[in-house]
Amino acid sequence: GVGGILAAHAEAGDPITVLTLSRGARGGVANDRQQESLASADLLGARLFLEDLTDTEIPVSDPTVGIIERVVAEVRPTTVYVHSRHDRHQDHRAVHDAAMVATRRVQHVACYQSPSATIEFCPTRFVSIDGFTQAKLELLGCFASQTEVRDYLEPELVLATARYWSRFGTGRHVEPLRRERVETARL
């Protein structure tokens, strides 16, 4: 959802932290999915927190809220990107709701369009990822267990989606965000 934006943050020297709440055992082999998460974090130069909540059963409350609060307290982020509430995957919706509670003191919170987002996803910010589309595709390529079985992760569709959103922003390729919390004009 925000691979291009994260690659731009990495190039700018911003510290990046990724929190993955499940190892994805129902959507693949947990060890493979863990290695994929590690590889993508490595590409970004990101710090990875990898939890082991049950895939497809992530709760809206604890332990999810507590895990996110613990990472927020340790990392002290100024910006958080999270799944949208408008998503077909129940884990993504639960993570959104839990994150909105757990990040209540974070200055900027924005939701991104994941491949499972619904048409109700309504972005309010369009960030150019020109110069970072290849990095986005390389990050997606780390997740071979998913890209091999999910048509919506094909590079052509990913780029076409980013191209589509550019009609609302500047640049040739854009990642859309829905701003949930903005305390200054930074985002």
Side-chain angles (χ1 to χ4, degrees):
V2 287
I5 292 171
L6 292 178
H9 278 295
E11 184 175 280
D14 298 333
I16 300 169
T17 300
V18 176
L19 169 58
T20 301
L21 290 164
S22 172
R23 295 170 194 255
R26 293 213 175 138
V29 177
N31 190 50
D32 293 347
R33 304 281 305 272
Q34 176 179 325
Q35 294 307 311
E36 292 168 345
S37 292
L38 289 165
S40 68
D42 188 52
L43 263 182
L44 285 169
R47 180 177 181 191
L48 176 65
F49 288 84
L50 187 57
E51 297 294 328
D52 200 17
L53 297 178
T54 304
D55 191 15
T56 72
E57 297 178 20
I58 293 179
V60 171
S61 57
D62 277 327
T64 312
V65 171
I67 292 168
I68 299 169
E69 285 178 330
R70 175 179 46 82
V71 173
V72 166
E74 183 173 333
V75 174
R76 301 177 55 88
T78 57
T79 302
V80 170
Y81 301 105
V82 66
H83 286 285
S84 168
R85 172 179 285 129
H86 302 289
D87 200 295
R88 290 184 313 247
H89 197 295
Q90 66 274 17
D91 285 350
H92 298 176
R93 292 189 308 270
V95 168
H96 169 86
D97 290 344
M100 293 312 299
V101 172
T103 63
R104 61 194 168 276
R105 292 183 183 89
V106 176
Q107 293 174 329
H108 309 285
V109 178
C111 300
Y112 55 85
Q113 180 187 35
S114 75
S116 54
T118 67
I119 61 171
E120 286 82 16
F121 174 75
C122 186
T124 56
R125 173 93 169 136
F126 303 90
V127 180
S128 173
I129 59 166
D130 291 343
F132 299 100
T133 55
Q134 187 58 40
K136 179 180 179 79
L137 295 177
E138 289 172 11
L139 288 165
L140 279 172
C142 290
F143 296 92
S145 73
Q146 302 304 294
T147 58
E148 292 171 355
V149 297
R150 311 235 187 271
D151 293 344
Y152 52 75
L153 294 175
E154 290 177 1
E156 294 164 357
L157 183 56
V158 169
L159 292 177
T161 301
R163 182 71 177 116
Y164 168 80
W165 287 114
S166 71
R167 63 189 277 216
F168 301 105
T170 58
R172 187 160 175 78
H173 294 93
V174 165
E175 287 177 339
L177 298 172
R178 172 145 184 96
R179 292 191 264 187
E180 294 289 329
R181 185 177 312 120
V182 180
E183 292 188 10
T184 67
R186 179 174 175 243
L187 188 64

